[in-house]
Amino acid sequence: MTDRTYTIGEASRLSGVSVRRLRFYADEGLLPPSARTESGYRIFTDADLVKLDLISALREAGLGLEAIRRVLSRRLTLRDALALRLTQLEAHIASQRRIAAALRAAMRSEQPTNDDLRRLWAVTNLSHADRRAKIARFYDEAAKSAHDNPHYEQWKQRAVDASVPSLPDDPTPEQIDAWIELESIITDQTFIAKMKKNVERIWTDGFDPGPYQKASDAIVARVRKAIDDGFTAGSDVGRVIAQDWFRDSARAMNRAADDEFKQWMLKSYQDDDPRAQRYWELVAILKGQSPGHSPNREWRWIIEAVRTHLA
């Protein structure tokens, strides 16, 4: 049994798709006519009308012509095409919700300020991927001297993951302000230059950030308990922790725990930049936490203990 055939006008009436759009689909190669009359008029079949229904449904779902072409040629499964479109749609919805949140925040005041407009711009123009790309560029620039280290890329990915939380659909003004301030820090050339020097000091030949991070996490946990127990950096507990950190960090960096390393550590802590601490406070705010959730309190305690007991 063969399919019935239809002229373009008949196909248009049966499908509800205009003749003009049928011609467009045919010219684009999505719905080439099964045949032509001797006069050159397009002829369509029942199978073509079924394909036209699919094209119309995919277009209604928002898929582009190239994606539809790949589905029809079986280079892309229908499920994958719909999943792709769903991802795009959800990202768009989330973006619109963030814009609405910024508008609501701006309208809380009878006279919106430049700060309100700045928040609106920040939310409207930057997606999660954009923020992630900006943070990645900062690390690439600040750690340029470490690019040849085999551990660099893995370390950078962990640092970016920790720095770029996904903002909620309805971010608070504080979270938007935190991103604006964070962006100003990571684009400040004086800060980048300071971080370059820190990286050059730490990322010496053979440096592996994994053991160093493990040692850092362990000492921060000890300091957190010491603070909660009421011990100051100048106490005997502070002296023991400072000595242990001196030894453990030297081992983690494949360096000797000698006077040269001690002077290096003291010099590093003397050059500490408050913007580096502010960076992690802003990350905590972006996560919906208080600035106190950053490890800055513990590191200030460690630095004071090292300066007190190892100088």
Side-chain angles (χ1 to χ4, degrees), residues 148-293:
D148 292 336
N149 187 298
H151 306 289
Y152 171 72
E153 283 298 330
Q154 185 178 11
W155 169 82
K156 184 185 80 170
Q157 291 304 316
R158 286 201 300 267
V160 173
D161 289 343
S163 303
V164 195
S166 295
L167 287 176
D169 292 340
D170 193 357
T172 65
E174 291 75 20
Q175 287 175 308
I176 300 172
D177 287 343
W179 169 255
I180 294 171
E181 185 180 347
L182 183 65
E183 186 178 15
S184 72
I185 289 176
I186 64 175
T187 55
D188 185 327
Q189 290 303 313
T190 62
F191 180 67
I192 292 172
K194 195 73 167 288
M195 293 302 101
K196 282 182 178 178
K197 290 182 179 179
N198 288 347
V199 170
E200 289 169 1
R201 281 201 298 260
I202 295 175
W203 287 70
T204 53
D205 291 342
F207 175 68
D208 184 346
Y212 185 81
Q213 185 64 52
K214 185 176 181 180
S216 298
D217 292 343
I219 207 70
V220 166
R222 285 180 62 186
V223 170
R224 184 176 299 118
K225 184 177 187 307
I227 294 174
D228 291 343
D229 290 343
F231 293 105
T232 66
S235 66
D236 286 341
V237 170
R239 175 179 54 78
V240 172
I241 289 178
Q243 292 172 343
D244 288 349
W245 174 235
F246 168 66
R247 182 192 66 247
D248 294 346
S249 60
R251 182 187 300 119
M253 296 176 67
N254 290 318
R255 298 180 62 172
D258 54 15
D259 191 61
E260 180 182 353
F261 182 73
K262 183 185 297 184
Q263 296 307 315
W264 175 90
M265 176 179 278
L266 290 169
K267 178 67 165 56
S268 298
Y269 289 165
Q270 187 178 13
D271 293 342
D272 187 48
D273 192 313
R275 288 172 295 186
Q277 297 185 15
R278 182 58 177 162
Y279 178 100
W280 292 110
E281 290 176 353
L282 294 169
V283 169
I285 294 171
L286 286 169
K287 292 179 178 178
Q289 302 167 342
S290 72
H293 276 80

Side-chain angles (χ1 to χ4, degrees), residues 6-252:
Y6 308 94
T7 65
I8 193 169
E10 291 170 333
S12 173
R13 286 192 298 274
L14 289 170
S15 64
V17 177
S18 69
V19 170
R20 182 178 179 182
R21 184 158 292 277
L22 279 170
R23 288 198 183 104
F24 172 74
Y25 289 154
D27 293 341
E28 289 292 321
L30 297 179
L31 191 69
S34 296
R36 285 181 180 269
T37 66
E38 292 182 359
S39 302
Y41 292 109
R42 296 175 175 91
I43 297 296
F44 298 93
T45 66
D46 287 328
D48 293 330
L49 295 186
V50 171
K51 184 185 291 186
L52 179 60
D53 284 342
L54 175 59
I55 294 171
S56 298
L58 293 176
R59 288 294 287 166
E60 185 68 24
L63 267 70
L65 296 180
E66 182 55 33
I68 294 174
R69 185 176 288 109
R70 291 170 63 193
V71 171
L72 296 176
S73 65
R74 299 186 184 280
R75 287 182 290 128
L76 181 69
T77 68
L78 179 57
R79 179 181 178 82
D80 288 343
L82 295 178
L84 176 64
R85 178 54 185 160
L86 179 59
T87 300
Q88 295 170 337
L89 188 60
E90 288 176 339
H92 178 71
I93 291 172
S95 173
Q96 297 304 303
R97 285 176 176 167
R98 287 195 297 271
I99 294 171
L103 288 170
R104 280 194 295 271
M107 292 172 63
R108 287 172 189 154
S109 171
E110 289 295 329
Q111 296 295 330
T113 65
N114 289 336
D115 287 341
D116 295 319
L117 296 178
R118 203 168 81 250
R119 291 189 189 107
L120 178 60
W121 181 91
V123 172
T124 303
N125 289 277
L126 288 178
S127 67
H128 177 76
D130 294 328
R131 292 194 300 274
R132 187 177 180 86
K134 283 179 177 287
I135 294 291
R137 281 196 297 272
F138 162 70
Y139 279 104
D140 278 335
E141 188 172 358
K144 191 173 293 184
S145 63
H147 287 189
D148 292 336
N149 187 298
H151 306 289
Y152 171 72
E153 283 298 330
Q154 185 178 11
W155 169 82
K156 184 185 80 170
Q157 291 304 316
R158 286 201 300 267
V160 173
D161 289 343
S163 303
V164 195
S166 295
L167 287 176
D169 292 340
D170 193 357
T172 65
E174 291 75 20
Q175 287 175 308
I176 300 172
D177 287 343
W179 169 255
I180 294 171
E181 185 180 347
L182 183 65
E183 186 178 15
S184 72
I185 289 176
I186 64 175
T187 55
D188 185 327
Q189 290 303 313
T190 62
F191 180 67
I192 292 172
K194 195 73 167 288
M195 293 302 101
K196 282 182 178 178
K197 290 182 179 179
N198 288 347
V199 170
E200 289 169 1
R201 281 201 298 260
I202 295 175
W203 287 70
T204 53
D205 291 342
F207 175 68
D208 184 346
Y212 185 81
Q213 185 64 52
K214 185 176 181 180
S216 298
D217 292 343
I219 207 70
V220 166
R222 285 180 62 186
V223 170
R224 184 176 299 118
K225 184 177 187 307
I227 294 174
D228 291 343
D229 290 343
F231 293 105
T232 66
S235 66
D236 286 341
V237 170
R239 175 179 54 78
V240 172
I241 289 178
Q243 292 172 343
D244 288 349
W245 174 235
F246 168 66
R247 182 192 66 247
D248 294 346
S249 60
R251 182 187 300 119

